[in-house]
Amino acid sequence: MSDIQRGHSRFHAVRSRLEAMAIKPGPRGWFLEFLVFGFKQGWACLFGGLMLALLLGTHLFWPDNAPIHRYDALTIGAVLIQIAMLAFRLETPREALVILVFHIVGTVMELFKTAAGSWQYPEASLLHIGAVPLFSGFMYAAVGSYIARVWRIFDFRYTDYPPAWTSYALAAAIYVNFFAHHWLPDIRWLLFAATALLFWRCQIWFRPLHAHRRMPLLVGWGLVALFIWFAENIGTFARAWTYPSQNDGWHMVGIEKLGSWYLLMIISFVLVSLVQRPKGLDQ
C-alpha cells in the first residue's frame, strides 16, 4: 500500500470515528464540531494544498542548473497529482471531467489576460501555450476540485435556490465580462447586484458532524474567495505569476482583487452544479 493509500485510509478511519461519537450540546460539543469542520475542509483542499506546496517548494529549492524548467516541473507535478486523485478515488470521474472544463476555461482566460498585460509569467518553460505555462490551468482546476470535494464531503443541501437557468446565465455573463471590460464598460457592479438579487434568500446547509448547519450562500462564497486571495498572495510570492506592480519586488495583492475572486467563485460553483445537482433538505 502506498503512502497516499495509507493516508486516504487513515482519513476515512479518523472521520468514521469522529462521526460515530456521541456529541452532547454545549461548548465542548461545539468545539469538537468545529475541529471536525476544519479537518474536513483541509481534506477538501487537498489538490489546492499540494499545488501551493509545489509552488513554494520549487520557488525556495529549485536549483538554477536543473535539467528542466521550474514551470515544466510544476506542470508535471500537477498532472501526477491529478492522476493520483483519480487512482485513489479521491475524485470521481465526473468530478474530474468538471475539473478538466475548469482547466480549459482557465487557460483561455489566462491566454487573454496575459496578452492584455493583466499579469505575466516571468520564468521560461517548454510546456506552454503562448505566454501561458500549462500548470496555470491546474490552479483553476484546484478551485474546482475543492468545490466538488467539499460539496460531497459536507453533503451540501440548499433552500430557496434560484432556478438553475438563472445561475447559468449569471455565470456566462460574469465570464464574458472578464474579457469584455477591456473594451466595454465594466459591469461587475451590475453582476454583484444580480448575484445578490438571485441568491439573497438562498441558504447552504452543510453537515460537519451529525446535524446540518446553515449559512447564507452569499457569505459562504465570500469566505472561499477570501481564502483564494490568501492563496493568490502565496502564489505571487512564489513567483508562479506576477502582476505589473510587482516587477520591482513582491508585495501583497490588493484587497480589491477579492471582487474578482468572488465572481470567479460563482463561475466555479455553477460549473460544479452541473455535476452535483443542488438538493433540498428533504431530498
Side-chain angles (χ1 to χ4, degrees), residues 33-139:
E33 189 171 22
F34 177 75
L35 291 180
V36 176
F37 174 83
F39 179 66
K40 287 185 174 182
Q41 283 284 352
W43 188 242
C45 291
L46 181 61
F47 194 127
L50 291 174
M51 281 298 299
L52 283 178
L54 274 177
L55 295 180
L56 277 175
T58 55
H59 173 64
L60 295 173
F61 304 112
W62 195 254
D64 294 333
N65 58 350
I68 63 173
H69 297 297
R70 174 192 172 219
Y71 281 178
D72 295 332
L74 288 172
T75 299
I76 295 169
V79 171
L80 293 176
I81 291 171
Q82 183 62 77
I83 292 173
M85 296 281 283
L86 279 171
F88 299 116
R89 300 180 181 179
L90 302 176
E91 287 174 351
T92 68
R94 292 178 69 191
E95 290 169 353
L97 180 61
V98 172
I99 290 167
L100 175 61
V101 174
F102 268 90
H103 197 293
I104 296 171
V105 167
T107 300
V108 170
M109 186 183 297
E110 289 287 321
L111 287 167
F112 179 84
K113 289 292 190 179
T114 52
S118 298
W119 56 79
Q120 60 192 357
Y121 291 89
E123 299 182 24
S125 65
L126 294 176
L127 303 175
H128 63 87
I129 301 174
V132 179
L134 294 184
F135 80 86
S136 65
F138 285 99
M139 294 187 291

Side-chain angles (χ1 to χ4, degrees), residues 146-188:
Y146 165 75
I147 296 175
R149 283 168 56 77
V150 80
W151 194 313
R152 174 164 42 85
I153 290 170
F154 282 90
D155 187 26
F156 282 175
R157 307 298 174 97
Y158 303 88
T159 51
D160 295 310
Y161 194 88
W165 71 267
T166 61
S167 66
Y168 304 154
L170 176 64
I174 291 171
Y175 191 65
V176 169
N177 188 62
F178 275 124
F179 300 91
H181 80 84
H182 288 275
W183 303 289
L184 301 174
D186 190 349
I187 62 168
R188 69 177 58 202

